[in-house]
C-alpha cells in the first residue's frame, strides 16, 4: 500500500527556471513531511521538511508547500541549477505523531534534470 | 561530524549464496534503520533498532534476512540464501531519538546473479 506517491517519474527544466515536484499522500494522520535528494551512487540526503501546522516552508531556493485538504505537497526550486539534477523523494514518518520520526515511508521518486 | 558508514559499497553474489552488510551509524544516534531500495522505487524500511533492541522488523523477510546491532552501535544485515529479487541497494540510516530526519549512508549495491 503506497501511502506516499510521486506520479511523475521525471521532470526536465531549463537552468534558471522553476522546478516543481509533486507528491500526494493517502494517510490523513501524517503530520510531517520531508524531501530527500539523491545523487547516483550516494545515499539520500535531507533537503527540507514541513510540519502539518504550516502550509509553507522556505529554505533558500527551496520551498515546500503543503495542501492538507488535497493531501498534496510540492517542492519548488527557484532558480533551478544543473547541480540540482538528482532524484527527489518525498517521505513521511510511518509513526504519524509518534516516536522515531526517522522511520519513513517514501514515494517512488522523481528524476529532475536541469539543462544548462 | 562523520556520516553513516557502510561497507562494502558493491557486492555481486550468486543466488543461494549468503551476504552480509555492515553499518556504523553517526556517533550518539540511538536509532538505526535498514532500508532496501529496488531500482526505480523509493527506499523501503526493513528493520528499525533503538539502541540494541529491535523496534520494528515487520517488513523484514525473516526466512532469509537477519539483522543485529552489536552493543547498540554497529549493525549487520545478512541475507541467506539470496534470491534474484534481493538485488537492490541496501541503505543504513540513523537518527537521534525524536528526530524527524534520518541520515543515510551511501548504501551497498547488491547484485544477485
Amino acid at each position: 500500500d503506497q501511502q506516499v506517491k510521486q506520479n511523475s517519474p521525471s521532470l526536465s527544466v531549463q537552468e534558471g527556471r522553476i522546478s516543481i515536484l509533486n507528491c500526494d499522500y493517502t494517510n490523513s494522520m501524517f503530520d510531517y513531511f520531508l524531501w530527500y535528494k539523491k545523487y547516483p551512487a550516494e545515499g539520500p540526503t535531507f533537503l527540507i521538511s514541513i510540519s502539518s501546522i504550516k502550509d509553507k516552508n522556505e529554505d533558500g531556493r527551496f520551498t515546500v508547500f503543503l495542501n492538507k485538504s488535497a493531501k498534496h505537497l510540492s517542492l519548488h526550486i527557484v532558480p533551478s541549477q544543473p547541480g540540482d539534477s538528482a532524484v527527489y523523494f518525498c517521505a513521511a514518518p510511518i509513526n504519524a505523531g509518534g516516536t522515531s520520526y526517522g522511520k519513513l515511508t517514501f514515494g517512488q521518486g522523481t528524476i529532475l534534470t536541469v539543462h544548462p | 561530524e562523520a556520516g553513516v558508514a557502510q561497507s562494502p559499497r558493491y557486492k555481486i553474489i550468486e543466488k543461494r549464496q549468503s551476504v552480509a552488510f555492515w553499518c556504523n551509524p553517526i556517533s550518539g544516534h540511538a536509532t538505526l534503520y535498514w532500508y532496501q531500495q529496488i531500482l526505480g522505487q523509493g527506499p523501503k524500511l526493513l528493520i528499525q533498532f533503538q539502541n540494541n533492541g529491535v523496534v520494528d522488523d515487520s517488513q523484514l523477510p525473516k526466512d532469509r534476512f537477519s539483522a543485529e546491532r552489536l552493543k547498540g552501535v554497529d549493525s549487520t544485515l545478512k541475507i541467506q540464501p539470496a534470491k534474484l529479487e534481493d538485488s537492490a541497494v541496501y541503505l543504513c540510516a540513523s537518527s537521534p531519538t525524536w528526530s524527524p530526519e534520518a541520515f543515510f549512508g551511501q548504501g551497498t549495491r547488491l547484485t544477485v546473479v
Side-chain angles (χ1 to χ4, degrees), chain B residues 6-69:
Chain B
Q6 289 189 246
S7 67
R9 290 294 310 277
Y10 306 93
K11 191 75 176 177
I12 301 175
I13 62 171
E14 295 182 350
K15 59 184 179 184
R16 292 187 289 274
Q17 285 188 322
S18 63
V19 65
F21 313 127
W22 173 83
C23 171
N24 179 244
I26 293 173
S27 177
H29 283 190
T31 312
L32 184 147
Y33 313 85
W34 283 101
Y35 286 83
Q36 178 193 58
Q37 186 182 9
I38 293 172
L39 187 64
Q41 299 180 21
K44 185 186 83 170
L45 181 73
L46 291 175
I47 189 168
Q48 175 193 359
F49 292 93
Q50 184 75 15
N51 296 310
N52 61 352
V54 175
V55 175
D56 184 353
D57 62 357
S58 59
Q59 300 299 309
L60 190 72
K62 299 181 191 62
D63 57 334
R64 297 185 299 105
F65 286 65
S66 64
E68 61 180 1
R69 188 176 184 192

Short mmCIF file of all heavy atoms in Angstrom, two decimals, chain B residues 6-69:
data_model
loop_
_atom_site.label_atom_id
_atom_site.label_comp_id
_atom_site.label_asym_id
_atom_site.label_seq_id
_atom_site.Cartn_x
_atom_site.Cartn_y
_atom_site.Cartn_z
N GLN B 6 29.03 2.64 5.59
CA GLN B 6 28.56 1.32 5.18
C GLN B 6 29.64 0.63 4.37
O GLN B 6 30.41 1.27 3.65
CB GLN B 6 27.30 1.42 4.30
CG GLN B 6 26.06 1.85 5.03
CD GLN B 6 24.82 1.72 4.15
OE1 GLN B 6 24.20 2.71 3.79
NE2 GLN B 6 24.46 0.48 3.82
N SER B 7 29.68 -0.69 4.48
CA SER B 7 30.57 -1.48 3.63
C SER B 7 29.96 -2.86 3.42
O SER B 7 29.16 -3.33 4.26
CB SER B 7 31.96 -1.59 4.26
OG SER B 7 31.91 -2.37 5.44
N PRO B 8 30.26 -3.51 2.30
CA PRO B 8 31.01 -2.94 1.17
C PRO B 8 30.15 -1.99 0.36
O PRO B 8 28.96 -1.87 0.63
CB PRO B 8 31.37 -4.19 0.36
CG PRO B 8 30.21 -5.12 0.60
CD PRO B 8 29.80 -4.89 2.03
N ARG B 9 30.70 -1.32 -0.61
CA ARG B 9 29.92 -0.45 -1.49
C ARG B 9 29.18 -1.26 -2.55
O ARG B 9 28.06 -0.93 -2.93
CB ARG B 9 30.82 0.57 -2.19
CG ARG B 9 31.38 1.64 -1.29
CD ARG B 9 30.29 2.56 -0.74
NE ARG B 9 29.38 3.08 -1.74
CZ ARG B 9 29.62 4.13 -2.50
NH1 ARG B 9 30.75 4.79 -2.39
NH2 ARG B 9 28.72 4.53 -3.40
N TYR B 10 29.82 -2.31 -3.02
CA TYR B 10 29.23 -3.15 -4.05
C TYR B 10 29.48 -4.62 -3.72
O TYR B 10 30.50 -4.96 -3.13
CB TYR B 10 29.84 -2.84 -5.43
CG TYR B 10 29.77 -1.39 -5.82
CD1 TYR B 10 30.82 -0.54 -5.53
CD2 TYR B 10 28.64 -0.89 -6.46
CE1 TYR B 10 30.75 0.80 -5.88
CE2 TYR B 10 28.57 0.45 -6.81
CZ TYR B 10 29.62 1.29 -6.52
OH TYR B 10 29.54 2.61 -6.86
N LYS B 11 28.51 -5.45 -4.12
CA LYS B 11 28.67 -6.89 -3.90
C LYS B 11 27.90 -7.63 -4.98
O LYS B 11 26.74 -7.30 -5.26
CB LYS B 11 28.12 -7.26 -2.51
CG LYS B 11 28.45 -8.67 -2.07
CD LYS B 11 29.90 -8.80 -1.65
CE LYS B 11 30.19 -10.19 -1.13
NZ LYS B 11 31.62 -10.35 -0.77
N ILE B 12 28.56 -8.61 -5.59
CA ILE B 12 27.91 -9.47 -6.57
C ILE B 12 28.02 -10.89 -6.07
O ILE B 12 29.12 -11.36 -5.76
CB ILE B 12 28.57 -9.35 -7.97
CG1 ILE B 12 28.51 -7.91 -8.47
CG2 ILE B 12 27.89 -10.29 -8.96
CD1 ILE B 12 29.24 -7.69 -9.78
N ILE B 13 26.89 -11.57 -5.95
CA ILE B 13 26.88 -12.95 -5.48
C ILE B 13 25.95 -13.76 -6.36
O ILE B 13 25.11 -13.22 -7.08
CB ILE B 13 26.45 -13.07 -4.01
CG1 ILE B 13 25.01 -12.57 -3.84
CG2 ILE B 13 27.40 -12.33 -3.09
CD1 ILE B 13 24.44 -12.84 -2.45
N GLU B 14 26.11 -15.06 -6.29
CA GLU B 14 25.19 -15.95 -6.98
C GLU B 14 24.00 -16.26 -6.08
O GLU B 14 24.12 -16.22 -4.85
CB GLU B 14 25.91 -17.24 -7.38
CG GLU B 14 27.02 -17.01 -8.39
CD GLU B 14 27.68 -18.31 -8.82
OE1 GLU B 14 27.41 -19.35 -8.20
OE2 GLU B 14 28.47 -18.28 -9.79
N LYS B 15 22.88 -16.56 -6.72
CA LYS B 15 21.70 -16.90 -5.92
C LYS B 15 22.01 -18.11 -5.04
O LYS B 15 22.81 -18.96 -5.40
CB LYS B 15 20.49 -17.16 -6.81
CG LYS B 15 20.66 -18.26 -7.81
CD LYS B 15 19.42 -18.36 -8.69
CE LYS B 15 19.59 -19.47 -9.72
NZ LYS B 15 18.44 -19.54 -10.65
N ARG B 16 21.37 -18.11 -3.91
CA ARG B 16 21.53 -19.12 -2.86
C ARG B 16 22.79 -18.92 -2.02
O ARG B 16 22.97 -19.62 -1.02
CB ARG B 16 21.49 -20.55 -3.41
CG ARG B 16 20.10 -20.95 -3.93
CD ARG B 16 20.08 -22.42 -4.31
NE ARG B 16 20.85 -22.68 -5.51
CZ ARG B 16 20.39 -22.56 -6.74
NH1 ARG B 16 19.15 -22.16 -6.94
NH2 ARG B 16 21.15 -22.84 -7.79
N GLN B 17 23.64 -17.98 -2.39
CA GLN B 17 24.78 -17.67 -1.52
C GLN B 17 24.33 -16.74 -0.40
O GLN B 17 23.20 -16.22 -0.40
CB GLN B 17 25.90 -17.00 -2.34
CG GLN B 17 26.68 -17.96 -3.22
CD GLN B 17 27.89 -17.30 -3.85
OE1 GLN B 17 27.85 -16.13 -4.25
NE2 GLN B 17 28.98 -18.05 -3.96
N SER B 18 25.21 -16.52 0.55
CA SER B 18 24.91 -15.60 1.65
C SER B 18 25.77 -14.35 1.51
O SER B 18 26.81 -14.35 0.86
CB SER B 18 25.17 -16.28 2.99
OG SER B 18 26.55 -16.62 3.10
N VAL B 19 25.28 -13.28 2.14
CA VAL B 19 25.99 -12.00 2.08
C VAL B 19 25.69 -11.22 3.36
O VAL B 19 24.63 -11.40 3.98
CB VAL B 19 25.57 -11.20 0.83
CG1 VAL B 19 24.10 -10.80 0.89
CG2 VAL B 19 26.45 -9.98 0.62
N ALA B 20 26.63 -10.39 3.75
CA ALA B 20 26.44 -9.56 4.95
C ALA B 20 26.88 -8.14 4.66
O ALA B 20 27.88 -7.91 3.95
CB ALA B 20 27.23 -10.14 6.12
N PHE B 21 26.14 -7.20 5.22
CA PHE B 21 26.45 -5.78 5.09
C PHE B 21 26.69 -5.21 6.48
O PHE B 21 26.05 -5.62 7.45
CB PHE B 21 25.28 -5.02 4.43
CG PHE B 21 24.71 -5.69 3.21
CD1 PHE B 21 23.35 -5.94 3.12
CD2 PHE B 21 25.54 -6.06 2.16
CE1 PHE B 21 22.82 -6.55 2.00
CE2 PHE B 21 25.01 -6.68 1.04
CZ PHE B 21 23.65 -6.92 0.96
N TRP B 22 27.55 -4.23 6.52
CA TRP B 22 27.91 -3.62 7.80
C TRP B 22 27.58 -2.14 7.80
O TRP B 22 27.69 -1.46 6.76
CB TRP B 22 29.41 -3.84 8.06
CG TRP B 22 29.94 -3.13 9.25
CD1 TRP B 22 29.89 -3.53 10.55
CD2 TRP B 22 30.62 -1.87 9.26
NE1 TRP B 22 30.50 -2.61 11.37
CE2 TRP B 22 30.96 -1.57 10.60
CE3 TRP B 22 30.98 -0.94 8.26
CZ2 TRP B 22 31.63 -0.42 10.96
CZ3 TRP B 22 31.66 0.20 8.63
CH2 TRP B 22 31.97 0.46 9.97
N CYS B 23 27.19 -1.63 8.97
CA CYS B 23 26.86 -0.22 9.09
C CYS B 23 27.37 0.33 10.41
O CYS B 23 27.18 -0.29 11.47
CB CYS B 23 25.34 -0.03 9.02
SG CYS B 23 24.77 1.65 9.41
N ASN B 24 27.96 1.51 10.35
CA ASN B 24 28.36 2.24 11.55
C ASN B 24 27.62 3.56 11.54
O ASN B 24 27.87 4.40 10.67
CB ASN B 24 29.87 2.46 11.57
CG ASN B 24 30.33 3.24 12.80
OD1 ASN B 24 30.84 4.35 12.70
ND2 ASN B 24 30.14 2.65 13.96
N PRO B 25 26.71 3.77 12.47
CA PRO B 25 25.89 4.99 12.44
C PRO B 25 26.65 6.21 12.93
O PRO B 25 27.78 6.10 13.41
CB PRO B 25 24.75 4.65 13.40
CG PRO B 25 25.38 3.73 14.40
CD PRO B 25 26.38 2.92 13.62
N ILE B 26 26.01 7.34 12.85
CA ILE B 26 26.57 8.57 13.39
C ILE B 26 26.66 8.43 14.91
O ILE B 26 25.71 7.94 15.55
CB ILE B 26 25.73 9.78 12.99
CG1 ILE B 26 25.83 9.99 11.46
CG2 ILE B 26 26.15 11.04 13.73
CD1 ILE B 26 24.91 11.05 10.92
N SER B 27 27.77 8.85 15.46
CA SER B 27 28.00 8.70 16.89
C SER B 27 26.89 9.37 17.69
O SER B 27 26.51 10.52 17.43
CB SER B 27 29.35 9.34 17.25
OG SER B 27 29.58 9.27 18.64
N GLY B 28 26.36 8.62 18.65
CA GLY B 28 25.32 9.18 19.51
C GLY B 28 23.90 8.96 19.03
O GLY B 28 22.94 9.22 19.77
N HIS B 29 23.76 8.47 17.79
CA HIS B 29 22.41 8.21 17.28
C HIS B 29 21.90 6.90 17.83
O HIS B 29 22.44 5.84 17.57
CB HIS B 29 22.41 8.18 15.75
CG HIS B 29 22.47 9.53 15.13
ND1 HIS B 29 22.28 9.72 13.78
CD2 HIS B 29 22.69 10.75 15.67
CE1 HIS B 29 22.37 11.02 13.52
NE2 HIS B 29 22.64 11.66 14.65
N ALA B 30 20.80 6.98 18.56
CA ALA B 30 20.27 5.78 19.21
C ALA B 30 19.49 4.89 18.24
O ALA B 30 19.39 3.69 18.44
CB ALA B 30 19.36 6.18 20.38
N THR B 31 18.94 5.49 17.21
CA THR B 31 18.06 4.74 16.30
C THR B 31 18.78 4.43 14.99
O THR B 31 19.42 5.30 14.41
CB THR B 31 16.79 5.54 16.01
OG1 THR B 31 16.23 6.02 17.25
CG2 THR B 31 15.75 4.66 15.33
N LEU B 32 18.65 3.20 14.57
CA LEU B 32 19.30 2.75 13.33
C LEU B 32 18.27 2.02 12.49
O LEU B 32 17.43 1.27 13.01
CB LEU B 32 20.48 1.84 13.65
CG LEU B 32 21.35 1.36 12.48
CD1 LEU B 32 22.80 1.21 12.92
CD2 LEU B 32 20.86 0.08 11.87
N TYR B 33 18.33 2.26 11.19
CA TYR B 33 17.38 1.67 10.24
C TYR B 33 18.14 1.00 9.09
O TYR B 33 19.19 1.48 8.67
CB TYR B 33 16.47 2.73 9.62
CG TYR B 33 15.84 3.70 10.59
CD1 TYR B 33 16.53 4.84 11.00
CD2 TYR B 33 14.57 3.49 11.09
CE1 TYR B 33 15.97 5.74 11.88
CE2 TYR B 33 13.99 4.39 11.97
CZ TYR B 33 14.70 5.51 12.36
OH TYR B 33 14.12 6.40 13.24
N TRP B 34 17.55 -0.06 8.58
CA TRP B 34 17.98 -0.63 7.30
C TRP B 34 16.82 -0.49 6.32
O TRP B 34 15.68 -0.85 6.63
CB TRP B 34 18.35 -2.11 7.44
CG TRP B 34 19.68 -2.37 8.07
CD1 TRP B 34 19.92 -2.74 9.35
CD2 TRP B 34 20.96 -2.33 7.42
NE1 TRP B 34 21.27 -2.90 9.55
CE2 TRP B 34 21.93 -2.65 8.38
CE3 TRP B 34 21.38 -2.03 6.12
CZ2 TRP B 34 23.30 -2.71 8.10
CZ3 TRP B 34 22.73 -2.08 5.83
CH2 TRP B 34 23.67 -2.41 6.80
N TYR B 35 17.16 0.06 5.16
CA TYR B 35 16.19 0.22 4.08
C TYR B 35 16.67 -0.56 2.85
O TYR B 35 17.87 -0.71 2.62
CB TYR B 35 16.05 1.69 3.67
CG TYR B 35 15.28 2.58 4.62
CD1 TYR B 35 15.90 3.14 5.73
CD2 TYR B 35 13.95 2.86 4.40
CE1 TYR B 35 15.20 3.97 6.59
CE2 TYR B 35 13.24 3.70 5.24
CZ TYR B 35 13.87 4.24 6.34
OH TYR B 35 13.17 5.07 7.19
N GLN B 36 15.71 -1.02 2.07
CA GLN B 36 16.02 -1.67 0.79
C GLN B 36 15.46 -0.78 -0.32
O GLN B 36 14.29 -0.38 -0.26
CB GLN B 36 15.35 -3.05 0.72
CG GLN B 36 15.57 -3.78 -0.59
CD GLN B 36 14.62 -4.98 -0.73
OE1 GLN B 36 13.42 -4.84 -0.67
NE2 GLN B 36 15.20 -6.17 -0.90
N GLN B 37 16.30 -0.44 -1.28
CA GLN B 37 15.83 0.35 -2.41
C GLN B 37 16.02 -0.42 -3.70
O GLN B 37 17.15 -0.61 -4.17
CB GLN B 37 16.54 1.69 -2.50
CG GLN B 37 15.95 2.58 -3.60
CD GLN B 37 16.64 3.90 -3.77
OE1 GLN B 37 17.70 4.15 -3.19
NE2 GLN B 37 16.04 4.78 -4.55
N ILE B 38 14.92 -0.85 -4.26
CA ILE B 38 14.94 -1.52 -5.56
C ILE B 38 14.92 -0.45 -6.65
O ILE B 38 14.30 0.61 -6.48
CB ILE B 38 13.74 -2.47 -5.68
CG1 ILE B 38 13.90 -3.62 -4.69
CG2 ILE B 38 13.59 -3.01 -7.11
CD1 ILE B 38 12.71 -4.53 -4.57
N LEU B 39 15.59 -0.73 -7.75
CA LEU B 39 15.73 0.24 -8.83
C LEU B 39 14.38 0.79 -9.26
O LEU B 39 13.44 0.02 -9.50
CB LEU B 39 16.43 -0.43 -10.02
CG LEU B 39 16.80 0.49 -11.18
CD1 LEU B 39 17.83 1.53 -10.74
CD2 LEU B 39 17.32 -0.32 -12.36
N GLY B 40 14.26 2.11 -9.29
CA GLY B 40 13.03 2.76 -9.72
C GLY B 40 12.00 2.95 -8.63
O GLY B 40 10.90 3.44 -8.90
N GLN B 41 12.35 2.55 -7.41
CA GLN B 41 11.42 2.70 -6.29
C GLN B 41 12.07 3.52 -5.18
O GLN B 41 13.29 3.74 -5.18
CB GLN B 41 11.03 1.32 -5.75
CG GLN B 41 10.33 0.44 -6.76
CD GLN B 41 9.95 -0.91 -6.17
OE1 GLN B 41 9.87 -1.08 -4.95
NE2 GLN B 41 9.72 -1.88 -7.03
N GLY B 42 11.25 3.96 -4.25
CA GLY B 42 11.79 4.62 -3.08
C GLY B 42 12.29 3.61 -2.07
O GLY B 42 11.94 2.42 -2.13
N PRO B 43 13.12 4.05 -1.13
CA PRO B 43 13.59 3.13 -0.09
C PRO B 43 12.42 2.57 0.71
O PRO B 43 11.44 3.27 0.98
CB PRO B 43 14.47 4.03 0.79
CG PRO B 43 14.90 5.15 -0.10
CD PRO B 43 13.73 5.39 -1.01
N LYS B 44 12.54 1.30 1.09
CA LYS B 44 11.52 0.63 1.90
C LYS B 44 12.16 0.15 3.18
O LYS B 44 13.19 -0.53 3.16
CB LYS B 44 10.92 -0.55 1.13
CG LYS B 44 9.76 -1.22 1.85
CD LYS B 44 9.31 -2.48 1.13
CE LYS B 44 10.17 -3.66 1.51
NZ LYS B 44 9.64 -4.96 1.02
N LEU B 45 11.54 0.48 4.32
CA LEU B 45 12.09 0.10 5.61
C LEU B 45 12.08 -1.40 5.80
O LEU B 45 11.07 -2.07 5.57
CB LEU B 45 11.30 0.77 6.73
CG LEU B 45 11.81 0.47 8.14
CD1 LEU B 45 13.11 1.21 8.41
CD2 LEU B 45 10.76 0.83 9.19
N LEU B 46 13.21 -1.96 6.25
CA LEU B 46 13.29 -3.38 6.58
C LEU B 46 13.22 -3.59 8.09
O LEU B 46 12.48 -4.43 8.58
CB LEU B 46 14.60 -3.98 6.05
CG LEU B 46 14.74 -4.10 4.53
CD1 LEU B 46 16.14 -4.60 4.18
CD2 LEU B 46 13.69 -5.05 3.97
N ILE B 47 14.02 -2.83 8.83
CA ILE B 47 14.11 -3.04 10.26
C ILE B 47 14.55 -1.75 10.94
O ILE B 47 15.29 -0.95 10.36
CB ILE B 47 15.07 -4.21 10.59
CG1 ILE B 47 15.01 -4.58 12.07
CG2 ILE B 47 16.49 -3.88 10.15
CD1 ILE B 47 15.71 -5.92 12.39
N GLN B 48 14.10 -1.59 12.18
CA GLN B 48 14.45 -0.43 12.99
C GLN B 48 14.95 -0.91 14.34
O GLN B 48 14.32 -1.75 14.99
CB GLN B 48 13.22 0.46 13.20
CG GLN B 48 13.47 1.63 14.15
CD GLN B 48 12.18 2.30 14.58
OE1 GLN B 48 11.09 1.91 14.16
NE2 GLN B 48 12.29 3.31 15.41
N PHE B 49 16.11 -0.38 14.76
CA PHE B 49 16.67 -0.63 16.07
C PHE B 49 16.61 0.63 16.92
O PHE B 49 16.81 1.74 16.43
CB PHE B 49 18.15 -1.04 15.96
CG PHE B 49 18.41 -2.37 15.34
CD1 PHE B 49 18.66 -2.48 13.98
CD2 PHE B 49 18.42 -3.53 16.10
CE1 PHE B 49 18.91 -3.70 13.38
CE2 PHE B 49 18.69 -4.76 15.52
CZ PHE B 49 18.93 -4.84 14.16
N GLN B 50 16.36 0.45 18.19
CA GLN B 50 16.52 1.52 19.16
C GLN B 50 17.57 1.01 20.15
O GLN B 50 17.34 0.03 20.86
CB GLN B 50 15.21 1.81 19.88
CG GLN B 50 15.28 2.98 20.85
CD GLN B 50 15.30 4.33 20.14
OE1 GLN B 50 15.00 4.43 18.96
NE2 GLN B 50 15.65 5.36 20.87
N ASN B 51 18.74 1.66 20.15
CA ASN B 51 19.92 1.14 20.84
C ASN B 51 20.18 -0.27 20.31
O ASN B 51 20.36 -0.43 19.12
CB ASN B 51 19.72 1.21 22.35
CG ASN B 51 19.60 2.66 22.81
OD1 ASN B 51 20.43 3.50 22.46
ND2 ASN B 51 18.56 2.98 23.56
N ASN B 52 20.19 -1.31 21.13
CA ASN B 52 20.48 -2.63 20.58
C ASN B 52 19.25 -3.51 20.49
O ASN B 52 19.35 -4.71 20.23
CB ASN B 52 21.58 -3.33 21.38
CG ASN B 52 21.19 -3.53 22.82
OD1 ASN B 52 20.17 -3.03 23.27
ND2 ASN B 52 21.99 -4.28 23.57
N GLY B 53 18.07 -2.91 20.66
CA GLY B 53 16.84 -3.67 20.58
C GLY B 53 16.07 -3.41 19.30
O GLY B 53 16.08 -2.29 18.79
N VAL B 54 15.41 -4.45 18.80
CA VAL B 54 14.59 -4.31 17.60
C VAL B 54 13.26 -3.66 17.96
O VAL B 54 12.56 -4.14 18.86
CB VAL B 54 14.34 -5.67 16.93
CG1 VAL B 54 13.39 -5.53 15.75
CG2 VAL B 54 15.65 -6.30 16.49
N VAL B 55 12.93 -2.58 17.25
CA VAL B 55 11.66 -1.90 17.48
C VAL B 55 10.61 -2.36 16.48
O VAL B 55 9.45 -2.57 16.82
CB VAL B 55 11.84 -0.37 17.39
CG1 VAL B 55 10.50 0.34 17.50
CG2 VAL B 55 12.79 0.12 18.46
N ASP B 56 11.04 -2.53 15.23
CA ASP B 56 10.10 -2.91 14.19
C ASP B 56 10.85 -3.72 13.12
O ASP B 56 11.77 -3.21 12.51
CB ASP B 56 9.48 -1.67 13.55
CG ASP B 56 8.41 -2.01 12.51
OD1 ASP B 56 8.24 -3.20 12.17
OD2 ASP B 56 7.76 -1.08 12.02
N ASP B 57 10.47 -4.96 12.96
CA ASP B 57 11.02 -5.79 11.88
C ASP B 57 9.90 -6.41 11.07
O ASP B 57 10.06 -7.47 10.46
CB ASP B 57 11.97 -6.85 12.43
CG ASP B 57 11.28 -7.84 13.36
OD1 ASP B 57 10.07 -7.67 13.62
OD2 ASP B 57 11.96 -8.77 13.84
N SER B 58 8.75 -5.75 11.04
CA SER B 58 7.57 -6.31 10.38
C SER B 58 7.75 -6.46 8.87
O SER B 58 7.08 -7.26 8.24
CB SER B 58 6.35 -5.43 10.67
OG SER B 58 6.57 -4.11 10.22
N GLN B 59 8.63 -5.67 8.27
CA GLN B 59 8.86 -5.74 6.82
C GLN B 59 10.08 -6.58 6.46
O GLN B 59 10.43 -6.66 5.28
CB GLN B 59 9.02 -4.33 6.26
CG GLN B 59 7.81 -3.43 6.47
CD GLN B 59 6.58 -3.98 5.81
OE1 GLN B 59 6.59 -4.33 4.62
NE2 GLN B 59 5.49 -4.10 6.55
N LEU B 60 10.71 -7.19 7.42
CA LEU B 60 11.91 -7.98 7.17
C LEU B 60 11.52 -9.41 6.81
O LEU B 60 10.83 -10.07 7.59
CB LEU B 60 12.80 -7.97 8.41
CG LEU B 60 14.21 -8.56 8.27
CD1 LEU B 60 15.09 -7.62 7.45
CD2 LEU B 60 14.82 -8.82 9.64
N PRO B 61 11.96 -9.90 5.65
CA PRO B 61 11.67 -11.31 5.28
C PRO B 61 12.51 -12.24 6.16
O PRO B 61 13.63 -12.61 5.82
CB PRO B 61 12.08 -11.38 3.80
CG PRO B 61 12.26 -9.96 3.36
CD PRO B 61 12.65 -9.18 4.57
N LYS B 62 11.96 -12.64 7.27
CA LYS B 62 12.76 -13.29 8.31
C LYS B 62 13.21 -14.70 7.94
O LYS B 62 14.07 -15.28 8.62
CB LYS B 62 11.98 -13.32 9.62
CG LYS B 62 11.64 -11.92 10.15
CD LYS B 62 10.88 -12.02 11.45
CE LYS B 62 10.32 -10.67 11.84
NZ LYS B 62 9.35 -10.14 10.86
N ASP B 63 12.64 -15.25 6.87
CA ASP B 63 13.09 -16.58 6.47
C ASP B 63 14.48 -16.52 5.86
O ASP B 63 15.20 -17.53 5.82
CB ASP B 63 12.11 -17.20 5.48
CG ASP B 63 11.90 -16.34 4.24
OD1 ASP B 63 12.08 -15.11 4.33
OD2 ASP B 63 11.56 -16.91 3.18
N ARG B 64 14.89 -15.34 5.41
CA ARG B 64 16.21 -15.26 4.77
C ARG B 64 17.04 -14.06 5.25
O ARG B 64 18.25 -14.03 5.07
CB ARG B 64 16.03 -15.15 3.25
CG ARG B 64 15.37 -16.37 2.63
CD ARG B 64 15.30 -16.29 1.12
NE ARG B 64 14.53 -15.13 0.67
CZ ARG B 64 15.08 -14.05 0.17
NH1 ARG B 64 16.39 -13.95 0.03
NH2 ARG B 64 14.31 -13.05 -0.24
N PHE B 65 16.38 -13.07 5.81
CA PHE B 65 17.08 -11.87 6.27
C PHE B 65 17.20 -11.90 7.79
O PHE B 65 16.27 -12.30 8.48
CB PHE B 65 16.31 -10.60 5.88
CG PHE B 65 16.38 -10.23 4.42
CD1 PHE B 65 15.83 -11.04 3.44
CD2 PHE B 65 16.98 -9.05 4.02
CE1 PHE B 65 15.89 -10.70 2.10
CE2 PHE B 65 17.03 -8.67 2.68
CZ PHE B 65 16.48 -9.51 1.73
N SER B 66 18.35 -11.44 8.27
CA SER B 66 18.53 -11.26 9.71
C SER B 66 19.38 -10.02 9.92
O SER B 66 20.15 -9.61 9.05
CB SER B 66 19.19 -12.48 10.34
OG SER B 66 20.50 -12.65 9.83
N ALA B 67 19.21 -9.41 11.08
CA ALA B 67 19.98 -8.22 11.40
C ALA B 67 20.23 -8.16 12.89
O ALA B 67 19.43 -8.67 13.69
CB ALA B 67 19.25 -6.95 10.94
N GLU B 68 21.36 -7.56 13.24
CA GLU B 68 21.66 -7.36 14.64
C GLU B 68 22.40 -6.04 14.80
O GLU B 68 23.02 -5.54 13.86
CB GLU B 68 22.48 -8.51 15.21
CG GLU B 68 23.82 -8.73 14.54
CD GLU B 68 24.59 -9.90 15.15
OE1 GLU B 68 24.07 -10.55 16.09
OE2 GLU B 68 25.71 -10.15 14.71
N ARG B 69 22.32 -5.52 16.01
CA ARG B 69 23.03 -4.28 16.31
C ARG B 69 23.85 -4.52 17.56
O ARG B 69 23.33 -4.61 18.67
CB ARG B 69 22.06 -3.12 16.52
CG ARG B 69 22.79 -1.80 16.63
CD ARG B 69 21.84 -0.63 16.75
NE ARG B 69 22.60 0.62 16.76
CZ ARG B 69 22.08 1.79 17.07
NH1 ARG B 69 20.79 1.89 17.40
NH2 ARG B 69 22.82 2.88 17.06
#
